[in-house]
Amino acid sequence: MYDNLNAEIGRKGLLKKEIAAKLNISPSALRMKLSGEKRFFIDEAFKLSELLGGHSIEYLFSKEATKWEK
């Protein structure tokens, strides 16, 4: 669902279980959030932005893929 977020996770080479641990959630909760079944909380969005190199939340959580942005 979040193409840019998933792309940046791939570019950074992070494992989803590592990201889940940093967000203090289970890997299955992260999977549901990435698929759009559950929502991300704002503190999780800011933490993801930090983990992924400071990309804007708007870019990471766009519903459609956009050009890479920093």
Side-chain angles (χ1 to χ4, degrees):
M1 172 164 208
Y2 301 108
D3 294 338
N4 295 333
L5 178 57
N6 282 306
E8 295 303 330
I9 289 170
R11 285 187 188 103
K12 284 286 187 184
L14 296 171
L15 297 175
K16 295 199 174 141
K17 68 179 184 179
E18 294 172 330
I19 294 169
K22 299 252 185 208
L23 296 177
N24 294 317
I25 61 175
S26 69
S28 62
L30 178 62
R31 188 172 42 257
M32 287 188 282
K33 289 176 184 239
L34 289 171
S35 70
E37 293 176 57
K38 293 198 176 242
R39 67 184 176 99
F40 281 95
F41 293 102
I42 193 68
D43 61 320
E44 295 168 337
F46 280 111
K47 185 67 175 179
L48 283 167
S49 172
E50 182 182 302
L51 288 171
L52 298 172
H55 292 286
S56 73
I57 291 170
E58 292 83 7
Y59 165 72
L60 292 174
F61 290 92
S62 174
K63 297 285 185 181
E64 57 185 58
T66 57
K67 183 179 172 192
W68 183 83
E69 176 233 77
K70 179 99 178 186

